[in-house]
Amino acid sequence: MVSQHLSPEISAPKVHATTDKATKVRYVVAFMLFLTVVINYLDRSNLSVAAPLIAEEFGLDTAQQGFLLSAFGWTYAAMQLPGGWLVDRVPPRLLYPICLVLWSLATIFMGMAGSFVALIVLRMAVGAFEAPAYPINNKVVTAWFPEKERATAIGFYTSGQFIGLALLTPVLIWLQHVMSWHWVFVATGAVGIVWGLIWYLFYRNPVDSKRANAAEIEYIREGGGLVDLGSTETTEKKPKLSKTDFALVLGRRKLWGIYIGQFCLTSTLWFFLTWFPTYLVNYRQMDYIQTGFLTSLPFIAALVGVLISGVLSDTLLKRGMTLGASRKLPIITGLLLSMSMIGAIFTDSTALVIMFMSIAFFGNGLASITWSLVSALAPARLIGLTGGMFNFIGNLSSIATPIVIGMLVTKTDFGPAFIYMTVVAAAGIVSYIALVGKVERVEG
């Protein structure tokens, strides 16, 4: 049915005068992505909120907690390539709400789980169904935004993960405190189902949109936006993937640079999404209300970093800096700042610990425009597959970080975790400097 409306949209530039003022529908799309990311990350982080009480109820040691916290990552990483394949073939209007509803249902059922095994299985289901989310985000922003606005758009919707966590994590902790940990999952899952239906009703690709006029579509196209990407017509004509396609996305040094760099960057993120609340409760002896407030401070810092990163990068690009330098400078600077968390080893002051954590997470937010390099480097016909590979390798950290930290720490010493996180961040800097090189689209 969607394809019946495609022709009038494509022919619109021939009907309307080119002097028409361009609409701003792309900003509405960015806001929709923002809200989707808020929900996405609430469903990733809700387990960290409930983890101390779940561990108490089911009698879990730190190694078991690490395994539970990593369960999301096993399927999230494993499904990146199938997810990328789906993103290249199923329009975002349809694929996103399907994924939203399915991972939200799994989240709701986590609130009803009666065993450790059930929690593991359901958490793995959440990971599997969330797998296409960020490749979809990247596809949408590549279609809707010209190159000179893309980093700002990516920074804006990425900020959703930190705004949601900073403002809503205390709400979830309060909800858990007055009711039970079960309601943390029921509440976040219900919101996701509602938003999935709203996305299906309102989202369209640029050439399918009745709200974006010809002037806006032409502005996006002339600026390097792939306005036909993800439309019904182009999706239906997609050829089958071949071994050559996989060889292409796995055989370029500069792509490996962003793959490895993403693993190092997201390791810090997954520390905050998994072990940070437990660290405050069990190693800093804070109560749950204190934890809710103090947890929010690094997330607010990360939010500031994200909002600065996209604007800073696009401003540098507009003022004549090369695409590569304008994208990589915030990323490398952010990774340097994220190494500051090692300072927590050398102080017993809660204020200083939170300061070090806030600087580290600010850096993580500042470096969070890495998807702009996927948009700039990926072969045009393999945006989804490249994004899937990028997210697959990057989010192996969602498996490694919870498990490695769970194995390194003891009941009284969390220091080895901070050493590990610092070494990983340093490796990320080396990857962006030594492997990525000149930023230009890979041909193929």
Side-chain angles (χ1 to χ4, degrees), residues 375-399:
S375 295
L377 293 171
R381 66 183 182 85
L382 296 174
I383 292 285
L385 181 62
T386 306
M389 189 67 70
F390 174 81
N391 227 19
F392 165 67
I393 296 173
N395 278 283
L396 290 176
S397 64
S398 65
I399 302 170

Side-chain angles (χ1 to χ4, degrees), residues 337-406:
L337 291 173
S338 71
M339 296 170 66
S340 65
M341 71 166 61
I342 199 169
I345 295 177
F346 305 105
T347 181
D348 291 324
S349 166
T350 296
L352 287 177
V353 166
I354 297 302
M355 182 190 74
F356 287 129
M357 295 298 117
S358 297
I359 293 172
F361 217 12
F362 169 83
N364 189 258
L366 188 66
S368 64
I369 58 167
T370 49
W371 275 99
S372 66
L373 291 178
V374 179
S375 295
L377 293 171
R381 66 183 182 85
L382 296 174
I383 292 285
L385 181 62
T386 306
M389 189 67 70
F390 174 81
N391 227 19
F392 165 67
I393 296 173
N395 278 283
L396 290 176
S397 64
S398 65
I399 302 170
T401 302
I403 291 178
V404 170
I405 290 178

